[in-house]
Amino acid sequence: MATGVVSHKGKIVSVGKNVVSVRIVSESACSACHAAGLCGASESKNKIIEVPVYDGQTYSVGQEVDVCLAKKMGLKAVLFSYVIPLMILLILVLSLSRIGLAELACGLVSVGGIAVYYFALYLCRDRLAEGYVFYIGK
């Protein structure tokens, strides 16, 4: 597997004309711990990912595959979902408290600013999704 690629093992659950649906199990880092069942901190989720299929590729239901995404796309997702909101929050809290706004008002306006940012991301989800193309690795 290439070094600039993030991959997850999955199982094909349905096959369409130009797309296959693959179920991957996303597990937290501590799910492999021997005490994971007792602690409750571990979690795993089933996710269905639609992967485009091109001419000449044939897959069958139940087949195990590697679902891949370029690592830079994962870093871009982290930027949009964590780094930018943190910067917005810090800028709003610091600037509003600097001008003398009450703490409660600073907090509410800052959280509102984050909500507006996430709503804008939600509205742009289709355009953003075009840049995140999964593929089935060999």
Side-chain angles (χ1 to χ4, degrees):
M1 196 59 53
T3 58
V5 173
V6 176
S7 70
H8 291 282
K9 292 209 177 292
K11 191 175 280 191
I12 295 178
V13 292
S14 70
V15 178
K17 183 176 180 180
N18 295 321
V19 69
V20 295
S21 296
V22 180
R23 176 184 292 125
I24 62 170
V25 178
S26 176
E27 297 180 342
S28 66
C30 59
S31 64
C33 174
H34 68 280
L38 300 173
C39 138
S42 67
E43 78 178 45
S44 65
K45 294 181 183 177
N46 284 327
K47 296 180 182 179
I48 305 292
I49 297 176
E50 292 187 352
V51 181
V53 177
Y54 304 101
D55 293 335
Q57 294 178 318
T58 56
Y59 299 100
S60 59
V61 174
Q63 181 179 355
E64 291 196 11
V65 294
D66 285 327
V67 178
C68 303
L69 180 70
K71 191 176 277 187
K72 67 180 180 178
M73 292 292 103
L75 295 175
K76 185 177 172 184
V78 169
L79 178 73
F80 282 134
S81 59
Y82 297 112
V83 176
I84 292 175
L86 176 64
M87 298 307 295
I88 292 171
L89 183 70
L90 288 175
I91 289 168
L92 285 173
V93 166
L94 294 175
S95 63
L96 293 174
S97 63
R98 178 93 168 131
I99 62 171
L101 201 60
E103 288 180 11
L104 179 62
C106 285
L108 291 175
V109 170
S110 299
V111 169
I114 298 300
V116 168
Y117 171 75
Y118 279 121
F119 183 68
L121 275 183
Y122 177 77
L123 293 176
C124 298
R125 70 187 179 277
D126 293 333
R127 202 172 86 208
L128 289 170
E130 292 172 1
Y132 296 90
V133 179
F134 292 93
Y135 62 93
I136 295 179
K138 305 218 180 235

